[in-house]
Amino acid sequence: MGITWALRHELRQLSATEMRVLAAASVPAAVAGLVAGDVVEARLGTRPQLALLLAAAGVVLWLADRSPQEHGVRGRDAAAAAVAQVAALAPGVSRSGATLSALRLLRVERASAERFTLLMSLPITAGAAALSLLRAERADLRALARPLAAGIPAAAASAAMSTRGQARRAAVPVTVAALYRLGLAAVVAVRHLKEKL
């Protein structure tokens, strides 16, 4: 809801072709989530794996953003972003970071890559929310009614502010985000080592 509101101007400007491309780009991650989501979550949740994935994603993001900015999002770029979005099933890999990395590695202009990454978040986020509601038991939904009533508006407002902030960040290199991920990987690794000693 919040993301949709934040991107309302971009959504109004979408052509029929762009809408079809965005819908198609959501299919790989949706299928992978349905088929292998639980397995990936169960097998890739350890701290060493999390630290490794955080660090790897940070390095890839940093390297990708050093690519030249040559063109907007083309068909093959959208396909690559769709496949990259599947990687976000793994803990430590962000959906936006994976898709942005794929687009920038293909030399898509940063502003275009940021815009497409944000727009790609709409169908996949809506689908994940709908799936969670479908899987929830009726009793669970009743118990969660009040928390959801309070949490949904807050989450929507937070998502809207975050999305607008990300949209304005298109002119800024993503080095800070890459360093954040590397720092977080180091924290996770150190905590794991302390527990082992």
Side-chain angles (χ1 to χ4, degrees):
M1 183 186 302
I3 299 175
T4 303
W5 173 256
L7 297 176
R8 62 192 183 282
H9 300 303
E10 288 84 352
L11 290 171
R12 290 193 194 108
Q13 296 169 4
L14 287 178
S15 66
T17 300
E18 287 177 315
M19 286 190 281
R20 285 194 294 269
V21 168
L22 286 168
S26 302
V27 173
V31 172
L34 287 170
V35 173
D38 294 336
V39 176
V40 171
E41 187 175 336
R43 295 188 178 182
L44 292 179
T46 67
R47 281 185 179 171
Q49 291 168 339
L50 180 59
L52 179 62
L53 288 169
L54 280 166
V59 170
V60 170
L61 183 60
W62 180 75
L63 291 173
D65 198 50
R66 296 171 66 86
S67 300
Q69 302 185 62
E70 296 182 355
H71 52 76
V73 179
R74 302 173 300 192
R76 68 172 186 175
D77 305 320
V83 174
Q85 193 167 228
V86 175
L89 289 174
V93 179
S94 75
R95 189 208 60 80
S96 61
T99 55
L100 182 59
S101 294
L103 292 170
R104 291 291 292 117
L105 281 171
L106 292 171
R107 302 189 173 192
V108 175
E109 297 167 346
R110 190 181 296 117
S112 297
E114 287 270 6
R115 176 180 178 271
F116 193 76
T117 292
L118 285 170
L119 290 170
M120 279 184 72
S121 69
L122 290 171
I124 201 69
T125 302
L131 182 61
S132 296
L133 288 174
L134 287 173
R135 286 180 172 177
E137 297 291 337
R138 193 170 293 179
D140 293 335
L141 290 175
R142 280 198 294 266
L144 290 172
R146 287 186 179 179
L148 283 174
I152 288 176
S158 175
M161 288 187 291
S162 175
T163 301
R164 294 315 299 171
Q166 188 176 349
R168 294 190 187 100
R169 198 187 64 199
V172 180
V174 296
T175 303
V176 174
L179 289 174
Y180 165 77
R181 300 187 71 78
L182 290 171
L184 189 56
V187 170
V188 172
V190 167
R191 288 192 63 180
H192 175 71
L193 289 174
K194 282 183 176 179
E195 290 182 0
K196 287 293 182 181
L197 295 176

